[in-house]
Amino acid sequence: VGMAMVAIAFARVFQTGGLGLALIQRKNLTESQVSSSFWATASIGVCLTGILLAVSPWVGGFYRNNQVTPVLAALALALLFNSVNTVPRLLIVRAVDFRKLFFITLWSDVLGGVLAIALAYKGFGVWSLVAKTLLESVSRTVLLWGYTRWLPRWMFTFSALKPLLSVALPLLAYAVVHYFASNMDYLIIGKYLGPVALGLYTLAYKIMLLPVSQLSGVLVTVVLPGFSSIQDDSAKVGKGFLKMLRYISFITFPAMAGLAVVAPEAIHVFFGARWMPAGEVVRTLTIVGAVSSVQAVAGIIFLSKGRSDLLLKWSLFSTACYVVGFFAGLPWGIDGVAMGYAISFVVISPVCFYIAVRLVGLTLKDVAGSLAPAIAGASIMGLILTGLRATDFVQIMDVNWRLILLVSVGITIYAGFVLLFRREFLTGMMYALKQALEKQTS
């Protein structure tokens, strides 16, 4: 599945032709633009599905693994359903109705998860994961259309799409480049180190990515429509940007620091001893997770200001750096690839922030000031946990109790740091959350 998903991810880059974010970014939309966008994305989805079915034998040959061919062919059908539900999902995002989107995602994931577990228990192996993906795509499509009750009109005009394409095409080019940045490590490991190494690396990456995607990914989706509505007021965008940095780093930085310490125990408890070689990879990738969680917010500035051209230039530069890091670390296996990725990511991230904050009149000093408290708290927690984990008392404990102890102590330490030094910030964040909930209720 990891091998097949490299090809699926590349097809997803072209799934909306860049129209997805363009539909969100634009202040006002006409029915003609929405309907034309639907027929465009649906047509692209049909073409991509046909292409994936045609090239699936070639992809299997590339990896020298015949199992990849039927798996890729089956997963291509999920891409078709995702193309059909793209516009209804974007309409929900534009309406900032994330409660509805949450329940749609929840129920489709639950259905897919239950089916995957049942099939895996019955011995279907890799096909349990394929069936999960297909059912999630189908159920999400049905729920999105049912909830939105929107139907496209029988109209398609290039003139309606033209205003969107000025933003969409640079975004499409960026997505192509970003694809290579996000998947070259999988491609290199799968090609040169084999499926076992790729499986370990994929698990490690997903463990690292979970807290990042669940927080920063969701917040970026929520904030982009709001930032786009005030895109002409750089001061407001800048103020909101710094606030987002503080909120996200407040959670992801200690989460990544804690995960770096307890990764071996977490993998042993939740996945079993066979996956233990992924532990060091998780530790290394937590650096990427921490930085990428806040760098995602910098991307909002590019998009909300309509500067997808700058985002494209940045992606070209960063992708070249990441690929160099991947190949530099390849002789040391998946640990080396992860380390090469982490080093290149950290080194060039300040460049991304520098370009982004200049658009809203901020400096890197402003960014550092927003991140400093979370860095301090996460560092203190990480150092204390590392020392505690190294003691003989903790080392001789059962792995389950060791994980519980370390997680509990980590939460206590960070909570104490916040109450002692960041009580005012915590109060402000809780007040902002209360206001958001009250607004949603009203």
Side-chain angles (χ1 to χ4, degrees), residues 108-146:
S108 60
D109 287 352
V110 167
L111 290 173
V114 170
L115 178 63
I117 293 171
L119 292 179
Y121 181 75
K122 291 294 185 179
F124 282 85
V126 66
W127 290 102
S128 60
L129 298 177
V130 175
K132 170 184 179 292
T133 303
L134 288 172
L135 182 57
E136 285 176 352
S137 298
V138 173
S139 58
R140 190 174 293 118
T141 300
V142 172
L143 291 172
L144 281 168
W145 282 96

Side-chain angles (χ1 to χ4, degrees), residues 86-419:
T86 296
V87 171
R89 179 176 57 82
L90 293 174
L91 292 177
I92 294 178
V93 173
R94 277 186 61 87
V96 202
D97 192 353
F98 293 100
R99 177 182 296 181
K100 184 179 294 183
L101 196 60
F102 163 75
F103 283 111
I104 291 173
T105 304
L106 173 66
W107 284 112
S108 60
D109 287 352
V110 167
L111 290 173
V114 170
L115 178 63
I117 293 171
L119 292 179
Y121 181 75
K122 291 294 185 179
F124 282 85
V126 66
W127 290 102
S128 60
L129 298 177
V130 175
K132 170 184 179 292
T133 303
L134 288 172
L135 182 57
E136 285 176 352
S137 298
V138 173
S139 58
R140 190 174 293 118
T141 300
V142 172
L143 291 172
L144 281 168
W145 282 96
Y147 271 107
T148 58
R149 300 186 183 279
W150 173 82
L151 291 175
R153 295 184 180 179
W154 291 99
M155 60 172 65
F156 177 85
T157 59
F158 282 105
S159 60
L161 292 178
K162 188 175 180 179
L164 299 174
L165 293 178
S166 61
V167 175
L169 292 180
L171 284 175
L172 176 59
Y174 160 74
V176 172
V177 178
H178 183 69
Y179 160 82
F180 287 103
S182 304
N183 291 276
M184 278 301 292
D185 46 353
Y186 293 116
L187 188 66
I188 292 169
I189 292 172
K191 176 67 175 177
Y192 295 103
L193 300 180
V196 173
L198 180 58
L200 293 169
Y201 184 88
T202 301
L203 175 69
Y205 200 93
K206 286 187 175 182
I207 292 174
M208 176 277 295
L209 194 63
L210 182 62
V212 175
S213 61
Q214 292 300 312
L215 179 65
S216 62
V218 170
L219 287 177
V220 167
T221 304
V222 173
V223 169
L224 180 56
F227 274 24
S228 297
S229 66
I230 58 171
Q231 57 187 271
D232 298 326
D233 192 335
S234 295
K236 281 188 177 180
V237 175
K239 184 179 179 180
F241 167 72
L242 294 178
K243 183 180 290 187
M244 290 294 298
L245 288 184
R246 290 192 293 270
Y247 287 173
I248 290 179
S249 62
F250 178 80
I251 298 175
T252 58
F253 281 21
M256 290 295 102
L259 181 59
V261 177
V262 305
E265 286 80 10
I267 290 177
H268 189 282
V269 170
F270 292 107
F271 298 99
R274 289 181 299 175
W275 293 92
M276 286 297 289
E280 290 303 316
V281 181
V282 173
R283 283 179 163 173
T284 303
L285 290 178
T286 53
I287 302 172
V288 177
V291 178
S292 65
S293 68
V294 290
Q295 186 172 296
V297 189
I300 298 180
I301 294 182
F302 292 121
L303 296 173
S304 64
K305 301 290 286 186
R307 295 304 306 271
S308 52
D309 57 324
L310 284 179
L311 195 60
L312 174 59
K313 293 176 182 178
W314 161 251
S315 65
L316 288 169
F317 169 74
S318 61
T319 299
C321 295
Y322 299 154
V323 172
V324 170
F326 296 149
F327 278 105
L330 188 59
W332 290 272
I334 56 175
D335 293 334
V337 173
M339 183 59 69
Y341 186 21
I343 292 174
S344 60
F345 200 101
V346 172
V347 168
I348 67 173
S349 284
V351 180
C352 178
F353 281 110
Y354 175 75
I355 298 172
V357 298
R358 288 184 64 188
L359 296 176
V360 290
L362 297 176
T363 65
L364 288 178
K365 184 178 180 180
D366 298 320
V367 174
S370 295
L371 298 179
I375 294 175
S379 299
I380 292 171
M381 183 195 72
L383 289 173
I384 295 177
L385 283 183
T386 300
L388 177 63
R389 185 177 183 274
T391 61
D392 293 336
F393 170 74
V394 174
Q395 286 296 312
I396 62 174
M397 293 178 67
D398 174 75
V399 64
N400 295 278
W401 288 110
R402 184 160 70 242
L403 177 62
I404 294 173
L405 174 66
L406 292 173
V407 171
S408 301
V409 171
I411 293 174
T412 303
I413 293 172
Y414 191 70
F417 171 83
V418 172
L419 291 176

